[in-house]
Structures are given as C-alpha cells and as structure tokens.
Amino acid sequence: MKVAQRYVSLLLLTLMLVAACAKKDEAKKNKPKMVPVTEAVAVQKDVPVLLTSIGNAEPFSTVSVRARVGGQLQRIHFREGQDVNKGDILFTVDPRPSEAALRQAEAALARDTAQMENTKKDAARYEELVRNGYVAQSQYEQLRANADALQAVVAGDRAAVDNARLQLSYCSIHAPIAGRTGSLLVNQGNLVKADDEKALVVINQIQPIYVGFSVPEQQLPEIKRQMAEGPVRVSASTGQAEGNAAEGTLTFIDNTVDRATGTIRLKATFENKDRRLWPGQFVNITLRLATERGATVVPTQAIMTGQKGQQVFVITPDSTVEMRPVTVTRAINGETAVKGVSPGERVVTDGQLQLVPKAKVAVKGKAAR
C-alpha cells in the first residue's frame, strides 16, 4: 500500500514537471523574435545644394603654328612636349633668300634716293633761273614733276624694304602664347610652304584651363541668379577622393539651349597650377549653387524604395519599428536630406529586409557617418 502511494506520488510529480516544461516552451514560442539591426540618429545640419555633371577639360587657348614664309626648315629650338613662354623662338626657316631680298630692296632705295636728291637740286636751280627769265617755265615744271615722281618711288622703296625686313623676321618663328607644345608635325630639313594648311606644331595653354560641361536647362534660372550674386564655385575631380578635386569658377554660359538634349553648355575656369587637369580629360563636375539651412539628414543606406515610394524604418522608444514615408530633397557624400523624419529620431540603416511594422529590434551598433 505504501509502495503504491509512493508510485502515485512520483507519477504526479513527473506530470507536474512535464506540464511546467511544456508551459515554458509555449512561452518561449510566443515570445516575439528580436531582429538585429544597425541604427543612426537623424541630425539637423546645413546641406549644400549641388549640381553634378561629367565635364571635359579644354585648353584655355590653342594655336596651330604655321610658317609665314617658304623655305627649308633649318632648325628646331624645342623638344616635343616642352613648355614654352610667349616669344620663345621655335623654328628657324632658311633666312638667306629673305636676306638677299632685303639687300636688294635697300640697294633700290639707295639708288632712287640719290636720284631724287639730285632731281630736287636741279629743280631748285631751275626755280631761280625761271624767276630771272633765263629758262622756260615748262622746263622747271618738268624737273619739279620728276622730283615728285622720284619722291614717290623712294616711298615705295621704303615700303619694299619694310616688307623685306618683315619677311626676314618671319624666318624666325616665335611662340605666340605660353603653353605646352605637342608632337612635331614637320621635322628639321623639310621644305615648308608659306601659310600652308599643315601646322608645324600645336601649342595648348593649360594654365589656366577650361572645363566644359552641360546641365539640364531647368537649372539655368538658378545658375544665372547665383552668378548675378557672385562667383559660382565649381569642383572638378578625376577620382572618388574629394581631396583630388580642383577648384574653379563658372565663367561661361552658352547663348543657346541644345534642343536635341535639353541641356545648356557651361564652362568653368581653373588656375590649374598643379596641372591636375589635362586637355581632353573627363572629370566629375560639382557645381555648388546654394545651401539648404537646417535640413534633417539621415544616412543614405537608411532609405528604402517600396511600392508607395521612399521610406525608412524608425525605431520607437519601446524598441519596435514603424515604417515612415519620406521625401528626399538631395543626397551628398553618403547622407540624404529628407522630410518626414524629425531630428533625434533613430532610423534603421542595416537589417531592413528582415523587418515589418511593429517588429521588435535589437540594436547591434551605430552606423558610421
């Protein structure tokens, strides 16, 4: 009897333990699952209004150097790709034909000057004789006309001498601008023609330098307004690093909108002292128009795009999340200015794909800004 009672007691105890364990497992099953997420706090800050585009560096000025006189290219005074200053001698064309032409013109000038002086003296003597009635008036007038004609000949000779000197000066070809030379298009020893279409070398001025780019025509009124208020700053970068950006100023707006693309052509001028920009190079352009004061900013990775537009998950004080529709105004450097979130609210930046509204979250870290 006592043994039976003992077995009954053990059985009841076992049943009670099993029931307790089952209740504990049920409670665990019903407990909401915590989703691990990363959060960031929405902050209020000033955000620059930026306009981005792809630009192309262009020489500030380009000169194709050509010969003004024909002859043999006697000497080249520079190396390909060399920097030259304005006025530096670049080429020498054989000057001997021009020197001979100059000496010939000078000789003709000396001859005609002597004849003119002699004729003037004869005319002066005949003026005295005609006054005293010793010679006919017509003889004097003929000498006077000869003297005037020779004076005109001498003036023509002087012009010929000046032209010969000019042609001789063309034998030395100087750099019309400061810049960097390109490839030689004619080698030493070749014959060159006067005013030939083929250039000897091309010089590009790269300090300063232009960068041309296009923006949508809808941005034109704001750009014109900013230019009226003061210089508009433009940044040009060749890579992702911001420290690689060159700073310039917007200096040109084209006078026509391209009807085919709906864009307007702009140019910015860069000092380019470090020669970071090179003609023909493609660069990323950032045009700073204005600053949006007191914007609410969240990390860009917090923004999700759903069927109803852009939205974020906001973490409430009880560690649940709510889905909040937002309006994006602009994005810059991994941050996005939005409307629909207040400064100080916490938003989910990682783990959104596992979330639904009212889900419990466990914050595992802060998003890096």
Side-chain angles (χ1 to χ4, degrees):
M1 189 68 179
K2 289 183 179 181
V3 174
Q5 288 178 349
R6 187 177 298 172
Y7 280 121
V8 171
S9 299
L10 288 173
L11 181 60
L12 291 175
L13 182 60
T14 302
L15 292 174
M16 291 175 62
L17 289 173
V18 170
C21 291
K23 189 178 292 186
K24 190 174 182 180
D25 290 339
E26 186 70 20
K28 284 184 178 180
K29 285 183 180 180
N30 294 332
K31 185 177 180 179
K33 183 181 178 182
M34 304 285 282
V35 180
V37 296
T38 301
E39 70 167 18
V41 178
V43 298
Q44 191 174 43
K45 61 192 298 187
D46 296 339
V47 178
V49 180
L50 303 179
L51 190 62
T52 59
S53 181
I54 301 296
N56 187 254
E58 305 170 7
F60 191 78
S61 59
T62 299
V63 174
S64 297
V65 180
R66 293 181 171 87
R68 302 287 299 274
V69 293
Q72 185 181 41
L73 192 59
Q74 195 174 66
R75 186 177 176 188
I76 298 172
H77 299 268
F78 67 96
R79 300 183 308 276
E80 291 180 311
Q82 178 182 330
D83 292 322
V84 295
N85 296 316
K86 183 179 180 179
D88 286 352
I89 186 168
L90 302 177
F91 303 95
T92 298
V93 178
D94 187 1
R96 289 173 295 179
S98 297
E99 289 172 346
L102 175 60
R103 288 193 297 270
Q104 186 177 7
E106 289 174 338
L109 174 62
R111 179 197 63 205
D112 293 337
T113 300
Q115 290 180 355
M116 180 192 69
E117 294 296 335
N118 184 59
T119 305
K120 279 185 176 181
K121 289 177 182 178
D122 288 344
R125 286 194 297 268
Y126 267 69
E127 184 179 9
E128 183 66 24
L129 292 174
V130 78
R131 189 180 298 119
N132 295 325
Y134 295 124
V135 296
Q137 179 72 25
S138 60
Q139 290 180 309
Y140 166 72
E141 290 177 351
Q142 181 63 46
L143 284 174
R144 187 73 252 175
N146 291 341
D148 291 342
L150 285 171
Q151 187 172 1
V153 171
V154 168
D157 290 342
R158 287 198 180 98
V161 169
D162 291 340
N163 182 64
R165 286 190 181 128
L166 183 62
Q167 296 301 312
L168 179 59
S169 71
Y170 289 157
C171 292
S172 297
I173 303 174
H174 298 265
I177 61 171
R180 191 176 183 90
T181 59
S183 298
L184 275 170
L185 304 178
V186 177
N187 293 318
Q188 185 171 312
N190 282 275
L191 290 174
V192 296
K193 297 179 181 179
D195 300 321
D196 192 5
E197 291 184 1
K198 185 178 181 181
L200 304 179
V201 72
V202 176
I203 302 175
N204 284 336
Q205 184 178 358
I206 59 177
Q207 289 179 299
I209 195 170
Y210 284 132
V211 173
F213 58 99
S214 298
V215 299
E217 61 177 308
Q218 293 83 357
Q219 303 292 339
L220 183 57
E222 179 63 20
I223 292 173
K224 291 168 63 178
R225 187 181 67 81
Q226 291 294 328
M227 287 191 72
E229 294 178 357
V232 177
R233 305 300 298 171
V234 180
S235 298
S237 63
T238 57
Q240 297 298 324
E242 282 191 34
N244 194 36
E247 294 294 328
T249 305
L250 185 65
T251 52
F252 169 78
I253 301 178
D254 204 354
N255 59 2
T256 305
V257 173
D258 189 335
R259 293 183 181 180
T261 61
T263 59
I264 183 76
R265 182 73 173 169
L266 309 177
K267 281 186 183 180
T269 303
F270 295 79
E271 290 297 327
N272 203 32
K273 292 181 179 179
D274 56 359
R275 300 195 175 185
R276 188 177 304 169
L277 304 176
W278 209 253
Q281 186 177 32
F282 286 96
V283 294
N284 299 316
I285 292 295
T286 303
L287 185 68
R288 182 163 185 160
L289 295 179
T291 300
E292 183 180 348
R293 304 290 181 183
T296 302
V297 175
V298 299
T300 301
Q301 64 263 34
I303 310 295
M304 299 180 64
T305 301
Q307 295 180 348
K308 297 182 179 180
Q310 293 172 310
Q311 55 201 18
V312 298
F313 279 109
V314 177
I315 303 175
T316 62
D318 61 355
S319 296
T320 60
V321 294
E322 65 176 58
M323 186 174 288
R324 187 85 58 82
V326 294
T327 301
V328 173
T329 57
R330 58 188 45 86
I332 177 174
N333 298 332
E335 293 184 325
T336 301
V338 297
K339 295 180 179 178
V341 177
S342 301
E345 287 191 306
R346 298 182 299 160
V347 296
V348 176
T349 58
D350 185 37
Q352 297 101 314
L353 296 179
Q354 305 177 55
L355 295 178
V356 295
K358 301 300 181 180
K360 282 279 188 179
V361 295
V363 178
K364 61 181 181 180
K366 301 280 187 181
R369 286 185 179 271

